[in-house]
Amino acid sequence: MSTVTAIKSCATTACAYNRGGCTAFAITVGGDAAAPACSTFISLDARGGLPVAEGHVGACQRLECVHNTDLMCTADAIAIGADTAACLSYEAR
């Protein structure tokens, strides 16, 4: 794996790392098989992260996802859903 997976969109506007997209340097996808989600999600009144929305997936804890190789996401890009910060690109094996 020579590149990291980009976050193409994030609809979780309550997250402190969302300013028109994901501004975290890297997120972790966790949750469980029934509800894989961004574990980096944090609800605060402040906004943080990078000055631009160029977030990536740093680690993926969902071993049963077809895009997971050695705990890294191999999808071209992922999308994160609204209220629950769900990983919308998750696909079970």
PDB file of all heavy atoms in Angstrom, residues 17 19 49 60:
ATOM      1  N   TYR A  17     -14.052  18.103  13.924  1.00  0.00           N
ATOM      2  CA  TYR A  17     -13.125  18.025  12.800  1.00  0.00           C
ATOM      3  C   TYR A  17     -13.793  18.279  11.450  1.00  0.00           C
ATOM      4  O   TYR A  17     -13.164  18.094  10.412  1.00  0.00           O
ATOM      5  CB  TYR A  17     -12.437  16.660  12.756  1.00  0.00           C
ATOM      6  CG  TYR A  17     -11.432  16.466  13.855  1.00  0.00           C
ATOM      7  CD1 TYR A  17     -11.677  15.574  14.893  1.00  0.00           C
ATOM      8  CD2 TYR A  17     -10.234  17.161  13.858  1.00  0.00           C
ATOM      9  CE1 TYR A  17     -10.754  15.377  15.903  1.00  0.00           C
ATOM     10  CE2 TYR A  17      -9.297  16.978  14.862  1.00  0.00           C
ATOM     11  CZ  TYR A  17      -9.567  16.085  15.875  1.00  0.00           C
ATOM     12  OH  TYR A  17      -8.651  15.903  16.866  1.00  0.00           O
ATOM     13  N   ARG A  19     -15.224  20.930   8.980  1.00  0.00           N
ATOM     14  CA  ARG A  19     -15.398  22.320   8.528  1.00  0.00           C
ATOM     15  C   ARG A  19     -15.499  22.274   7.013  1.00  0.00           C
ATOM     16  O   ARG A  19     -14.520  22.467   6.308  1.00  0.00           O
ATOM     17  CB  ARG A  19     -14.209  23.191   8.937  1.00  0.00           C
ATOM     18  CG  ARG A  19     -14.163  23.513  10.404  1.00  0.00           C
ATOM     19  CD  ARG A  19     -13.088  24.547  10.698  1.00  0.00           C
ATOM     20  NE  ARG A  19     -11.813  24.180  10.093  1.00  0.00           N
ATOM     21  CZ  ARG A  19     -10.662  24.156  10.741  1.00  0.00           C
ATOM     22  NH1 ARG A  19     -10.612  24.497  12.009  1.00  0.00           N
ATOM     23  NH2 ARG A  19      -9.554  23.824  10.128  1.00  0.00           N
ATOM     24  N   GLY A  49      -8.283  20.700  13.909  1.00  0.00           N
ATOM     25  CA  GLY A  49      -7.712  19.944  12.803  1.00  0.00           C
ATOM     26  C   GLY A  49      -6.919  20.814  11.860  1.00  0.00           C
ATOM     27  O   GLY A  49      -6.501  21.928  12.191  1.00  0.00           O
ATOM     28  N   CYS A  60      -8.054   1.179  10.267  1.00  0.00           N
ATOM     29  CA  CYS A  60      -9.387   0.588  10.201  1.00  0.00           C
ATOM     30  C   CYS A  60      -9.419  -0.643  11.098  1.00  0.00           C
ATOM     31  O   CYS A  60      -8.634  -1.575  10.920  1.00  0.00           O
ATOM     32  CB  CYS A  60      -9.764   0.200   8.781  1.00  0.00           C
ATOM     33  SG  CYS A  60     -11.418  -0.541   8.705  1.00  0.00           S
TER      34      CYS A  60
END
